[in-house]
Amino acid sequence: MSLDGAIDRGTGAGNGTANGVLSPVLPSYSTHRLRLNPNTDHKPANYEDLQAQLEFSPLLFSSLERYLPPSLLERPRETKVNYMREILLRYSPEGERTRVQRHREYRQKIISNYQPLYKELYTMHAANFFVPSFLKAVNENTEESFRNIMAEPAPGVFAFEMLQPRFCELLLSEVENFEKWVHETKFRIMRPNTMNKYGAVLDDFGLETMLDKLMEDFIRPISRVFFTEVGGSTLDTHHGFVVEYGIDRDVDLGFHVDDSEVTLNVCLGKQFSGGELFFRGVRCDKHVNTETQSEEIFDYSHVPGRAIIHRGRHRHGARATTSGHRINLLLWCRSSVFRELRKYQKDFSSWCGECQREKKERQRQSVAAIKLELLKREGEAAKEAAS
């Protein structure tokens, strides 16, 4: 997608017809651009009923709609979805689209055959999932309400009570049931990422819609307050999974950053020792491997039901789980808008620790140079006065 940059030249856009095909009445893509700033007063359409037909997440279309040119906002939904789809396809490599399509087919095959153990997990039941203090804070939806339930033990890392014990128990049982089904049917299971050899992608066996609601209604309001500089207010896609640690599972996790703008990490249980997260500062791509400063060092100990939320670019890892079995729910939340804008930025001093230090150093050098020049002029003026 392009934000305030020209859309690829070529195919025109038009009015929506009964069959969803665009006719050449609207201006062509070459004359249209997505807006840099969204129309916050516009209420986007819901695209969830089109999920089977779309190559991209329905939530992505809802998020992008606010960035459409004003002339398109009141057009029929078919017109808008075709316009946004065309833009997304132009910026999505064919190989990536093929991979996404294969994954969709893989996911659909699982959902068609796997029988959920607890169907109540698959739709959002906030009162049954979350502790009352968390629900109250989200309903009030203010920075004060969020800070009332949160600790900020290190800059940009927020910890708070979130999940009810019963929900944790049900989700753990559901994951165990899914893994048992995978083993019995000899179905191939896709692990959460390249670093974890154990765990499961929750989206793959039917929990995608529930996790979309979790991100949209509960995590995005928090991120809008605390992580706006990394797209916290425009989160539109997610990757939801559980990871498992223990002597017979993954033991630890190396130093890394997440493929997310904002990461939610909630410990589900069970009994364990060790497994602390260690944080080492926020970095952009350019500075991801730079030295850690002493003030950036922070360790966090997991507590079942308790969540932490942080920037995906906050470098971290997990120490060894020395006994027992630790399982965590993770939700990587992403913003397609932020990712597009990031391509054109060179300075990330609003959130990257190293960019901040480089900016301060440039400012220090500039001030020092000005002082030196002033002293030089004063010295020359003094010489002239003396002569």
Side-chain angles (χ1 to χ4, degrees), residues 357-372:
R357 276 181 281 280
E358 288 183 352
K359 184 176 181 179
K360 288 179 180 178
E361 178 60 21
R362 289 195 300 270
Q363 291 173 340
R364 188 195 65 77
Q365 291 178 0
S366 177
V367 169
I370 291 172
K371 286 182 177 179
L372 187 63

Side-chain angles (χ1 to χ4, degrees), residues 123 138 238 283 303 339:
T123 52
V138 172
H238 76 266
R283 295 291 188 274
V303 177
R339 292 186 176 210

Side-chain angles (χ1 to χ4, degrees), residues 59-322:
L59 190 60
L60 176 56
F61 285 88
S62 294
S63 178
L64 279 184
E65 186 176 318
R66 286 194 173 98
Y67 292 84
L68 287 175
S71 60
L72 277 175
L73 290 177
E74 302 307 321
R75 294 282 183 173
R77 188 178 71 154
E78 292 81 2
T79 302
K80 291 185 286 190
V81 75
N82 280 336
Y83 191 87
M84 290 185 285
R85 177 179 176 274
E86 184 70 23
I87 293 171
L88 289 167
L89 287 173
R90 290 173 185 273
Y91 284 83
S92 178
E94 185 176 352
E96 175 65 12
R97 298 204 303 272
T98 301
R99 186 195 68 78
V100 169
Q101 180 59 30
R102 287 178 178 171
H103 195 170
R104 180 180 287 108
E105 292 168 357
Y106 162 84
R107 183 173 292 180
Q108 191 55 49
K109 189 174 181 180
I110 292 178
I111 294 172
S112 299
N113 291 279
Y114 174 68
Q115 295 299 315
L117 187 61
Y118 298 109
K119 292 185 178 179
E120 61 265 38
L121 292 174
Y122 290 75
T123 52
M124 176 57 69
H125 298 287
N128 296 331
F129 290 5
F130 306 119
V131 298
S133 60
F134 177 73
L135 279 179
K136 182 175 183 291
V138 172
N139 287 334
E140 293 178 6
N141 195 18
T142 65
E143 179 174 351
E144 182 182 5
S145 70
F146 294 135
R147 288 197 180 276
N148 283 340
I149 65 166
M150 291 178 170
E152 190 178 4
V157 178
F158 299 90
F160 52 97
E161 298 297 330
M162 181 180 181
L163 297 180
Q164 293 193 19
R166 177 62 177 162
F167 173 82
C168 294
E169 292 172 7
L170 294 183
L171 186 55
L172 286 172
S173 296
E174 189 68 49
V175 171
E176 289 174 2
N177 188 63
F178 173 65
E179 291 183 337
K180 179 182 177 184
W181 176 82
V182 166
H183 178 74
E184 291 175 348
T185 59
K186 294 182 170 54
F187 201 89
R188 180 172 61 94
I189 184 171
M190 295 184 69
R191 297 304 179 184
N193 52 63
T194 57
M195 299 181 73
N196 289 100
K197 297 178 181 178
Y198 294 87
V201 179
L202 299 178
D203 300 313
D204 283 348
F205 59 96
L207 287 162
E208 181 178 18
T209 300
M210 186 274 283
L211 293 176
D212 259 343
K213 294 295 288 182
L214 172 59
M215 179 188 72
E216 185 174 9
D217 296 344
F218 299 92
I219 303 307
R220 195 159 65 188
I222 295 172
S223 301
R224 185 182 292 119
V225 172
F226 297 114
F227 304 118
T228 183
E229 78 287 350
V230 292
S233 61
T234 56
L235 302 176
D236 51 27
T237 58
H238 76 266
H239 176 48
F241 56 96
V242 294
V243 289
E244 302 180 37
Y245 293 91
I247 301 303
D248 58 343
R249 295 287 190 272
D250 289 320
V251 176
D252 55 17
L253 189 64
F255 194 48
H256 68 285
V257 295
D258 296 336
D259 183 13
S260 69
E261 274 59 77
V262 176
T263 293
L264 172 74
N265 187 338
V266 195
C267 183
L268 300 175
K270 304 177 180 178
Q271 297 293 322
F272 62 89
S273 57
E276 301 87 355
L277 291 182
F278 58 94
F279 289 90
R280 297 295 185 265
V282 185
R283 295 291 188 274
C284 64
D285 288 340
K286 177 183 176 182
H287 297 123
V288 69
N289 292 314
T290 54
E291 184 180 350
T292 299
Q293 304 300 313
S294 59
E295 66 272 14
E296 295 176 319
I297 297 174
F298 169 64
D299 287 9
Y300 172 82
S301 297
H302 290 288
V303 177
R306 191 167 177 81
I308 62 166
I309 188 169
H310 58 84
R311 294 170 184 83
R313 303 297 306 185
H314 204 142
R315 303 182 300 179
H316 61 283
R319 301 194 188 285
T321 297
T322 53

